[in-house]
Amino acid sequence: MSTTSLPVPDRSPRLREALLTAAFTADGLLDLLGAPAYAALARSETVPALRATRGDSPLDTLVRLFLLQHPVPYERARAALPLAECVEDGWVTHVGDEVRATVDVRPYSGPEGQDWYIVSDLGCAVGGAGGIGSREEGVVLGVGGASTTLAGITVRTPVASALDIGTGSGIQALHASQHATRVTATDLNPRALDFTRLTLALSGAAPAELHQGSLYEPVGAETYDLIVSNPPFVISPGARLTYRDGGMGGDDLCRTLVQQTGDRLNEGGYAHFLANWQHVEGEEWQNRLSSWVPHGCDAWIVQREVQDVTQYAELWLRDSGDHRTDPAEYAARYDAWLDEFEARKTKGVGFGWITLRKSAAAVAGNPSVVIEEWPHAVEQPLGPAVEAHFARQDYLREQDDAALLAGHFTLAAEVVQEQVGLPGAEDPEHVVLRQNRGMRRATKVDAVGAGFAGVCDGTLPAGRILDAIAQLMNEDPVLLRDRTPQAIRLLVEEGFLDPVPPVG
């Protein structure tokens, strides 16, 4: 594990003020670097940014120092920073005529445009095709696609208490600090807790309660309104790297985390996780995941990607830089991954999101568990869409077919209708309803479904609309009422139709 001492956060407000004065922010970076160089940084490519920072402004200096981790001349550093304090507190080192950063400080824009900073180990920005390239056990990563994805899918309603498990550099704790009265963050790696403290302090956020330990062990029997975790979910042979390898066999760490959450959530509380899961020979992956859902919780599980075992092994061998080692060593590690998968009869690995919500209906034995595959583009942040999903499940659980036909509905915002067919044809081959927001779903509907959705403006009950459609199409209204509720139920469940609350 890395033993390098970390900065102290005591005078971070002074450093924060200097960073803001120099426009060392997400917007300031985009203005300075331009879109191509800014995008290249997300791929861990630094040459375009180095070319864009050849000036001598404080912003050029700070980008080179903290973001690109290049030494800068002493006088330039002194013009950009309260340098004596930064040296004393450990943010930078001064050797000869040069100043070097001791940590990666990365501007990060909050959901309401807040100027935040994520502090992590040097050289461990996430996102390049070659991985982070670090093989140190206790390394702490910065901002990556996984962490921003988790932040985006989290429901952001005000809560009394939030828990971030496996906090890393503190990104999820930072987000939670904006809408939770009390934030607790845990990590098996004590170095990660120190980085979380730095991230919160430099971002001007309230401090969190920090506890060392694995999963729920550090917090005892405490319960929370919100739980989030980007855990070390990689399914690997052994536990070489704390930031990614869970140390349990197969997908047991993710399973254990999810199964233990039922007792940790307060009524109405949400838990959001990123996870990997095995696709095992002779077993449906949906059945595997449904067995993880704890009693008392509704669940929405979305599989975003599946890789075969060779793709998966190669991805994580590159992540740790093993592809740059001796070829024989690389081959031996690759072989060990495939041995592990073969022993577990694993043919692929899925990646996705798991959201749990504690509900009275689930506690009473009537949970809503939706497990689906959705590899298509979505619109982040998805937190509002996640909250709306569970609200629709609540509604549908309470409605039998008669109640559904008596209900009023409106077509959801941003839903458009597409007609697909040969040019000049009198009737389309089929009609597609498509969402332009949230999950961006699309579904084929028949003529009845298209007509029904097209006139849903909340004024008429569903049954009356179907009676009118039956008359127009010369169909038996009783038969139409009998066969249509399931289609309405699906359109509501997938967010194409919104129920209208009863008046009074």
Side-chain angles (χ1 to χ4, degrees), residues 314-338:
E314 291 162 13
L315 169 68
W316 294 109
L317 287 167
R318 287 195 303 271
D319 172 78
S320 55
D322 287 299
H323 61 310
R324 303 190 190 101
T325 63
D326 175 70
E329 182 182 348
Y330 173 78
R333 290 197 183 279
Y334 197 153
D335 212 31
W337 283 70
L338 297 186

Side-chain angles (χ1 to χ4, degrees), residues 1 58 67 87 98 114 190 248 262 285 314 339 347 350 359 483:
M1 179 179 294
L67 204 61
V87 171
E98 289 185 338
Q114 300 99 323
M248 297 185 186
W285 67 271
E314 291 162 13
D339 283 344
K347 59 184 181 179
S359 77
R483 76 167 193 258

Side-chain angles (χ1 to χ4, degrees), residues 198-279:
L198 293 172
T199 289
L200 293 172
L202 194 56
S203 297
E209 298 176 11
L210 304 176
H211 301 287
Q212 182 186 355
S214 178
L215 301 182
Y216 289 106
E217 178 269 328
V219 296
E222 287 282 332
T223 59
Y224 299 88
D225 303 311
L226 173 68
I227 299 172
V228 294
S229 183
N230 178 15
F233 54 65
V234 176
I235 300 171
S236 60
R240 291 170 58 208
L241 301 173
T242 304
Y243 74 87
R244 72 170 203 193
D245 300 324
M248 297 185 186
D251 52 19
D252 282 355
L253 182 132
C254 291
R255 175 186 58 79
T256 301
L257 174 61
V258 173
Q259 288 181 336
Q260 291 181 353
T261 299
D263 294 332
R264 309 294 178 155
L265 274 179
N266 294 326
E267 177 76 22
Y270 286 92
H272 303 274
F273 308 116
L274 301 185
N276 276 177
W277 43 80
Q278 297 171 133
H279 283 231

Side-chain angles (χ1 to χ4, degrees), residues 27 38 45-46 59 62 91 111 113 116 157 161 218 227 246 250 271 273 278 289 295 354 395 440 474 491 501:
D27 289 341
Y38 189 79
E45 296 289 351
T46 59
L59 180 55
L62 293 173
W91 292 95
W116 289 341
T157 52
S161 58
I227 299 172
F273 308 116
Q278 297 171 133
L289 288 175
H295 174 74
I354 298 176
Y395 170 83
R440 292 181 173 171
N474 294 317
L491 289 175

Side-chain angles (χ1 to χ4, degrees), residues 442-494:
T443 187
K444 282 200 287 189
V445 292
D446 60 14
V448 173
F452 182 85
V455 298
C456 273
D457 60 4
T459 58
L460 292 175
R464 289 274 302 278
I465 294 174
L466 290 178
D467 291 343
I469 292 174
Q471 186 173 6
L472 286 172
M473 300 181 68
N474 294 317
E475 290 206 31
D476 185 328
V478 175
L479 293 179
L480 193 60
R481 278 175 172 255
D482 284 345
R483 76 167 193 258
T484 305
Q486 186 56 40
I488 297 174
R489 197 173 291 275
L490 183 62
L491 289 175
V492 172
E493 180 176 317
E494 294 192 341

Side-chain angles (χ1 to χ4, degrees), residues 35-89:
Y38 189 79
L41 280 178
R43 304 189 298 271
S44 295
E45 296 289 351
T46 59
V47 172
L50 283 169
R51 292 175 60 86
T53 55
R54 289 178 289 193
D56 59 1
S57 72
L59 180 55
D60 289 312
T61 300
L62 293 173
V63 171
R64 283 186 165 246
L65 181 65
F66 285 121
L67 204 61
L68 305 180
Q69 283 121 47
H70 275 243
V72 299
Y74 175 83
E75 291 300 328
R76 285 182 55 182
R78 191 172 68 168
L81 293 167
L83 188 54
E85 289 181 7
C86 288
V87 171
E88 185 178 345
D89 292 348

Side-chain angles (χ1 to χ4, degrees), residues 65-66 69-72 77 87 90-95 98-103 122:
L65 181 65
F66 285 121
Q69 283 121 47
H70 275 243
V72 299
V87 171
W91 292 95
V92 298
T93 59
H94 172 212
V95 179
E98 289 185 338
V99 173
R100 292 178 177 269
T102 62
V103 290
L122 292 173

